[in-house]
Amino acid sequence: MTNPHGSFLWYELMTRDAAAAAAFYSAVIGWDVGEAPPGGVDYRMLNAADGHAGGMLQLDEAMLAAGATPTWHGYLAVEDVDATVAGIAAAGGTTIVAPWDAPGVGRIAMVADPQGIVFYVMRGATEGATSPAFQHNSVGHVGWNELMAPDAEGALGFYHRLFGLTRLGGMPMGEMGEYSFIGPEGGQAIGAIMRCPPGAPAGWSFYFRVDDVDAAKDRITAAGGTVINGPMDVPGGARVLQATDPEGALFGLLSGGE
């Protein structure tokens, strides 16, 4: 795939119960969740009205025994998976799953940054194709990527050196420091990095666009999820919330804004 180096090209939900997760997110976000392929790994596509928004992996017994938990992960596009994995290790990160080739999909590795925050790196198999998973203004797609890290400045340096993500301004957050917008140099912001609030878990979180966050709040609770923050207005005219699904996986929603 030709998604630029350092851009998000895929999002994946790990879940213990794919059928229940499909029902929850279909009710909340409106996805059409595909069927699991026959045999092998239970992996289902998450489809917005205008294309794929991500995928869903049902955790098997071996994955659960290895410590996998329900969560959302992002995939960063890279030019060379093996070289990037080596660079991450040299920068103090770790390799969780070594690079492997997924037939017809691409070369993938699961890694952690120097602060232990997990994500994937990937080079798509199809030259000239572009993943539509991240689309700032399209309903059903991730419209914002947010990293909370114990050391926000260290995270900014790491993701800049390895992936070219650059600070594109920011917003002061008082004692919590700067909410730093990030994106390709000279481009549009795709998200932000901030210091973890006290008691909050470190990691990437992803905000899916919906028509109306306030209406979606009621759908979350009706479907068995928990709203943990918001809805609230944020600079730029957007309205956001954070929630967990019935298995405890954190996600965000947004509507409105520029």
Side-chain angles (χ1 to χ4, degrees), residues 70-88:
T71 190
W72 280 97
H73 286 302
Y75 285 62
L76 283 168
V78 297
E79 294 293 334
D80 185 322
V81 169
D82 296 76
T84 300
V85 168
I88 290 168

Side-chain angles (χ1 to χ4, degrees), residues 1-3 9 78 101-107 122-131:
M1 290 180 176
T2 55
N3 296 72
L9 83 165
V78 297
D101 292 311
V105 176
R107 191 157 176 79
M122 177 178 172
R123 172 73 180 177
T126 306
E127 294 299 328
T130 301
S131 168

Side-chain angles (χ1 to χ4, degrees), residues 34-136:
E35 295 294 325
V41 176
D42 186 337
Y43 199 92
R44 311 183 189 200
M45 305 302 287
L46 308 174
N47 302 303
D50 59 350
H52 295 320
M56 179 192 303
L57 172 67
Q58 179 158 305
L59 297 168
D60 61 24
E61 292 301 323
M63 296 172 191
L64 292 167
T69 58
T71 190
W72 280 97
H73 286 302
Y75 285 62
L76 283 168
V78 297
E79 294 293 334
D80 185 322
V81 169
D82 296 76
T84 300
V85 168
I88 290 168
T94 56
T95 301
I96 298 171
V97 181
W100 82 95
D101 292 311
V105 176
R107 191 157 176 79
I108 305 168
M110 189 181 199
V111 297
D113 70 17
Q115 299 184 61
I117 294 164
V118 178
F119 61 101
Y120 285 93
V121 293
M122 177 178 172
R123 172 73 180 177
T126 306
E127 294 299 328
T130 301
S131 168
F134 174 77
Q135 294 191 52
H136 180 64

Side-chain angles (χ1 to χ4, degrees), residues 75-232:
Y75 285 62
L76 283 168
V78 297
E79 294 293 334
D80 185 322
V81 169
D82 296 76
T84 300
V85 168
I88 290 168
T94 56
T95 301
I96 298 171
V97 181
W100 82 95
D101 292 311
V105 176
R107 191 157 176 79
I108 305 168
M110 189 181 199
V111 297
D113 70 17
Q115 299 184 61
I117 294 164
V118 178
F119 61 101
Y120 285 93
V121 293
M122 177 178 172
R123 172 73 180 177
T126 306
E127 294 299 328
T130 301
S131 168
F134 174 77
Q135 294 191 52
H136 180 64
N137 290 313
S138 292
V139 169
H141 293 267
V142 170
W144 195 250
N145 307 279
E146 185 176 84
L147 175 61
M148 291 198 296
D151 177 3
E153 288 299 318
L156 282 162
F158 171 81
Y159 288 97
H160 177 70
R161 291 190 302 273
L162 272 295
F163 301 101
L165 292 173
T166 301
R167 191 200 308 255
L168 301 175
M171 179 177 66
M173 300 278 287
E175 293 182 357
M176 293 172 58
E178 186 90 352
Y179 188 78
S180 297
F181 305 124
I182 56 169
E185 188 169 358
Q188 297 292 317
I190 65 167
I193 294 176
M194 65 179 290
R195 192 171 75 226
C196 283
W204 283 100
S205 58
F206 311 106
Y207 290 76
F208 298 95
R209 183 167 288 278
V210 294
D211 285 325
D212 184 333
V213 159
D214 292 87
K217 175 185 177 182
D218 295 334
R219 297 198 298 270
I220 290 168
T221 55
T226 303
V227 176
I228 59 174
N229 192 18
M232 60 185 175

